[in-house]
Amino acid sequence: QAQPVESGGGLVQAGGSLRLSCAVSGVTFSISAMAWYRQAPGKQRELVAGISHGGSTNAADSVKGRFTISRDNAKNTVYLQMNSLKPEDTAVYYCNVVLLGSNWATPLLPWGQGTQVTVSS
């Protein structure tokens, strides 16, 4: 069964950067919209950013101007470049194949393990 595999998380100081990667097999990646989500301790999972199969992107207000989502169809991989990280960005980050709207996304696959991002102050 298709499932995302996230990587690239770690511990970083506030103001630092990380680049997350997510590989997905078992789907026609080039025609799939993708999205990154995150879940902080004690909070619900929230949508961070999405990208259509054609490359159009959207992002949550809390990360606009700091996070950039991109994709490489040749590698079946979606990325999340995170700059100017803040302690409140600390969470487990997940990606998924989605149905994508202007400000919503519905995940279509089982969730992967995610990748932990911890931002120290």
Side-chain angles (χ1 to χ4, degrees), residues 8-104:
L11 173 64
V12 63
Q13 290 187 332
S17 298
L18 282 174
R19 188 194 195 203
L20 307 183
S21 299
C22 172
V24 184
S25 58
V27 301
T28 308
F29 185 84
S30 61
I31 62 170
S32 299
M34 301 293 300
W36 282 97
Y37 296 78
R38 66 186 180 186
Q39 187 167 20
K43 295 187 177 181
Q44 289 189 332
R45 194 168 351 223
E46 64 174 352
L47 177 64
V48 175
I51 185 166
S52 72
H53 71 280
S56 298
T57 64
N58 58 29
D61 288 343
S62 59
V63 305
K64 279 181 180 176
R66 300 189 298 122
F67 291 11
T68 302
I69 187 171
S70 62
R71 63 190 296 155
D72 185 337
N73 289 340
K75 296 182 179 180
N76 281 21
T77 299
V78 63
Y79 303 98
L80 187 67
Q81 178 66 44
M82 305 187 296
N83 299 327
S84 302
L85 282 160
K86 304 175 180 180
E88 51 264 43
D89 295 319
T90 295
V92 179
Y93 283 72
Y94 303 87
C95 76
N96 213 314
V97 178
V98 297
L99 293 176
L100 186 65
S102 57
N103 59 358
W104 57 266

